[in-house]
Amino acid sequence: MTCCQTVDGAGLVTVGRGLGGRWEGAFEPDARGRGLGRRLVAAARHLVPGAHLWLEIAPGDVTSLRAALTAGFKPVGAEVLMLDRAPERR
């Protein structure tokens, strides 16, 4: 996992391996209206040695969703995790 903070401490971006080994990122801007969220998301792409980076954003978090969309991310909607075997029963 890689975690970077802005020089002034106003923002944080984290990138690491998630489900299925895919790259996932999270960001936390401490200021609104200055484009910090968009810049943090754009910076996250430079921390990943590959083509795909996933961001999990709550549907109600309009500010973060807008920042991700502005940075070029596309919404997927929802996903389902399929396990390769049934859970053990007692």
Side-chain angles (χ1 to χ4, degrees), residues 32-68:
R32 294 184 184 238
R34 297 186 311 188
L36 181 58
R38 178 179 37 81
R39 291 193 309 270
L40 288 170
V41 172
R45 286 187 160 170
H46 295 285
L47 298 173
V48 176
H52 299 289
L53 173 65
W54 292 79
L55 298 175
E56 286 80 23
I57 299 172
D61 188 354
V62 177
T63 305
S64 294
L65 182 58
R66 191 177 302 130

Side-chain angles (χ1 to χ4, degrees), residues 18-33:
L19 294 173
R22 70 183 181 192
W23 287 101
E24 298 183 7
F27 64 104
E28 188 65 39
D30 193 27
R32 294 184 184 238

Side-chain angles (χ1 to χ4, degrees), residues 57-90:
I57 299 172
D61 188 354
V62 177
T63 305
S64 294
L65 182 58
R66 191 177 302 130
L69 291 172
T70 303
F73 281 80
K74 296 179 183 176
V76 172
E79 63 183 348
V80 176
L81 177 62
M82 306 295 282
L83 301 175
D84 62 353
R85 62 184 177 140
E88 296 180 23
R89 296 182 186 212
R90 291 183 187 197

